[in-house]
Amino acid sequence: EELEILVHERTTELQHADQILKTAAFAAALFLKEPDLPRSIPRVVKQLGGVTEASRVYLFENQQGDDGDLLTTQRYEWVSEGISAEIDNPMFQNMSYEAAGFGRWVKTLEKGYSVNALVESLVGRERELLEFQRIKAIIIIPVFLGNVWWGFIGFDDCEKKRLWSVSEKEGLRTVADVMGAALWRNRMGQALLESETNFKALAENATD
């Protein structure tokens, strides 16, 4: 019976990994077809929630505070039926990693590593905040724009305790890479458009 359970769990992990990679391919095609990220990212986040059987999937973007403190803000979220949404929670707008108790996560994520943990194994404010949201297991995957750590995509499980397998993590890294490439392309496009607009205005206002 124990062997049957292990086989079942391994099969489920491989199925999840396969579906995650298919979602990465879906995301890559969608971002090319639909470059309007506020429209396309929610579709990708929703599909990730379905294939991973997560309770929540969300995307956070980093920014620098006026005092140099590293902050992060929730931009997108999907939640499964019966799970409370956190997208409108003011705590997750311009949240300081350090003040919120996640300072040690910064050192992990900025190096490109993921955070994959059972909440009961965490300590201090990390555990306190996550348990308040009824989270039992969590995985955080960093998103990079080039060599710059942009933010992260996160997955909560509020139903069961689980650690994500290596194959599942690699699949999620692929999704994060695809998303980072789309965000980078969007940022470069906006910068080019702004440059062209400024050049046009300069040319129109230039004297002989």
Side-chain angles (χ1 to χ4, degrees):
E1 181 179 354
E2 182 178 354
L3 178 60
E4 289 179 354
I5 293 174
L6 291 175
V7 170
H8 173 71
E9 289 179 349
R10 180 57 179 163
T11 301
T12 300
E13 290 173 358
L14 292 175
Q15 289 174 341
H16 282 171
D18 181 61
Q19 291 300 315
I20 291 168
L21 288 175
K22 288 180 179 178
T23 301
F26 164 77
L30 179 62
F31 290 147
L32 287 174
K33 180 181 178 181
E34 178 58 82
D36 183 8
L37 296 187
R39 289 171 57 89
S40 55
I41 287 180
R43 293 180 60 186
V44 174
V45 169
K46 179 180 180 180
Q47 184 155 325
L48 281 171
V51 302
T52 60
E53 300 180 5
S55 302
R56 293 189 192 91
V57 183
Y58 40 84
L59 187 65
F60 275 70
E61 178 182 2
N62 294 338
Q63 61 270 352
Q64 208 73 27
D66 294 336
D67 58 356
D69 190 17
L70 183 61
L71 311 177
T72 191
T73 293
Q74 188 172 16
R75 299 299 187 194
Y76 301 95
E77 181 188 51
W78 170 89
V79 295
S80 64
E81 185 177 354
I83 300 298
S84 60
E86 299 288 350
I87 190 68
D88 295 322
N89 189 336
M91 178 184 298
F92 300 131
Q93 302 298 307
N94 298 315
M95 180 184 76
S96 165
Y97 283 97
E98 195 67 40
F102 297 102
R104 70 172 184 151
W105 288 22
V106 171
K107 297 179 181 179
T108 298
L109 297 172
E110 67 183 2
K111 293 178 181 177
Y113 300 117
S114 61
V115 174
N116 182 22
L118 299 177
V119 172
E120 65 181 18
S121 70
L122 299 176
V123 296
R125 298 199 62 190
E126 294 175 353
R127 179 172 178 173
E128 180 182 335
L129 178 59
L130 298 178
E131 284 187 335
F132 182 75
Q133 299 174 69
R134 302 180 182 276
I135 301 170
K136 295 182 178 180
I138 188 171
I139 185 169
I140 302 293
I141 307 292
V143 175
F144 284 82
L145 272 62
N147 295 321
V148 178
W149 177 38
W150 178 88
F152 62 84
I153 184 167
F155 301 79
D156 296 342
D157 197 321
C158 301
E159 303 295 333
K160 59 184 180 297
K161 303 174 184 178
R162 60 161 160 169
L163 288 175
W164 297 67
S165 69
V166 172
S167 56
E168 289 172 322
K169 285 192 294 182
E170 290 306 311
L172 293 178
R173 286 182 187 278
T174 301
V175 174
D177 289 344
V178 169
M179 196 168 289
L183 289 163
W184 175 255
R185 186 171 60 250
N186 182 263
R187 177 175 292 185
M188 291 301 98
Q190 290 178 345
L192 179 60
L193 180 61
E194 183 177 330
S195 177
E196 291 175 345
T197 301
N198 291 339
F199 180 79
K200 183 179 179 180
L202 180 63
E204 291 175 347
N205 295 323
T207 64
D208 291 342

